[in-house]
Amino acid sequence: MIFRRLEEDFFDQLKDKNKSLHYILDFERKHRKSFMVEIRRNFLDLYFLGHTIEVKKREDGYYLIASKEFNPEKLLVKAPKNIVKSYGKGKWQICFNDIKNYDWFEDIMGAAIAQIVRHKGGNISEGVSEVNHFIDNRAIGRNGILIIDRQVVYPRSGKGRIDLLGLKRLSSGKFTFAVIELKNKNNKEIEDVFTRQLRRYIDLVYEKYDDFVQTYSAVLKQKVDLGLLKSIDCVMAQKHEISKKDIEGIAILDNYNIKSDLKANGLLGRALRDWAKMGNEYTTKLFLKTNVLDSTFFFTHNEAGTFLDRYKTCNS
């Protein structure tokens, strides 16, 4: 089962430089340090600061749709205000047929993004951290991880939502998956992130491995064709070529204040206790602070424990 990709007509409209839908790709190229486009099940998510503007197809065309919190109408300068329509309860929409040129589209996106910034009030949420990690890992180094999707839900599995899904190289040179769970600041859920979340996600990806390979082989091809990712020589390992240990689980502590661990029962200390319960069936790592997901910065369980002990000794 392929559970994410664009159908052929949607893909063709997006790629065609003579169609208004192509404005999305033009905008992404100008703003790719802070803005990203994600392929879903025949629709798009446009992300900024962790919030989403959707692009969906209907019988009469393609539409931008988002929360009323991010309604661009009052801030439009070039695009006419009357192209913004209400959509259901608490949302607005704009039909791409009503967007006459790229300047109008940039005006609409700029106004919507300004409303997102106002709404955020300067706060850095986990959604923002997810996007930062995604944007900083759209190319892969020798020992790195290529982030290929965020907020991944396998249909009807009940296994939750994977924050970030990545690809990693095996010693054979082929690729398999990494699942990443991000905890921002001092999120108390870190105390069971390994056993409650990463273990479940690794089990899911391994169980449905063929579906994940088919889905993301299709998504990667579309992303490369659309210019959203650089071309990569990516041959996915087949299930008979891997074990569950090859699918890596990574917990990221972003904007983490280690001073909390100078006291008893600190955040990292609780994470280490949870981590110790994982057993040898899984490969899991901890990652602190920096956005670039390179093996230089990963900790094993023993390394993280030594790091914490050293920090406590130096600050006691």
Side-chain angles (χ1 to χ4, degrees), residues 140 146 167 169 175 220 224 229-235:
I140 187 168
L146 175 70
L167 294 180
R169 279 192 184 91
F175 285 79
L220 279 175
V224 169
L229 278 179
K230 292 181 180 179
S231 180
I232 175 174
D233 184 14
C234 176
V235 177

Side-chain angles (χ1 to χ4, degrees), residues 117-181:
V117 172
R118 179 197 59 76
H119 177 74
K120 293 296 294 184
N123 292 324
I124 300 176
S125 67
E126 285 185 6
V128 176
S129 296
E130 284 175 17
V131 173
N132 287 341
H133 283 87
F134 196 114
I135 287 171
D136 287 341
N137 294 279
R138 288 193 285 200
I140 187 168
R142 184 178 64 180
N143 299 308
I145 289 176
L146 175 70
I147 300 298
I148 55 172
D149 207 352
R150 69 183 291 269
Q151 297 294 298
V152 177
V153 178
Y154 185 87
R156 300 179 297 280
S157 70
K159 292 289 182 71
R161 189 185 303 266
I162 301 169
D163 280 350
L164 295 169
L165 184 70
L167 294 180
K168 51 163 275 191
R169 279 192 184 91
L170 297 167
S171 58
S172 65
K174 293 184 179 181
F175 285 79
T176 190
F177 296 101
V179 296
I180 299 162
E181 183 65 24

Side-chain angles (χ1 to χ4, degrees), residues 54 197 234 238 287:
E54 294 181 340
Q197 292 180 294
C234 176
Q238 300 303 301
F287 187 78

Side-chain angles (χ1 to χ4, degrees), residues 106-118:
E106 189 162 48
D107 189 32
I108 292 163
M109 293 302 299
I113 284 171
Q115 297 287 31
I116 291 173
V117 172
R118 179 197 59 76

Side-chain angles (χ1 to χ4, degrees), residues 156-206:
R156 300 179 297 280
S157 70
K159 292 289 182 71
R161 189 185 303 266
I162 301 169
D163 280 350
L164 295 169
L165 184 70
L167 294 180
K168 51 163 275 191
R169 279 192 184 91
L170 297 167
S171 58
S172 65
K174 293 184 179 181
F175 285 79
T176 190
F177 296 101
V179 296
I180 299 162
E181 183 65 24
L182 190 145
K183 299 301 177 193
N184 192 46
K185 297 184 178 177
N186 293 324
N187 190 324
K188 293 181 180 179
E189 290 182 359
I190 189 65
E191 66 188 12
D192 59 1
V193 67
F194 291 95
T195 57
R196 184 175 63 86
Q197 292 180 294
L198 289 179
R199 181 161 60 192
R200 187 169 72 228
Y201 300 152
I202 292 170
D203 287 345
L204 171 65
V205 172
Y206 187 71

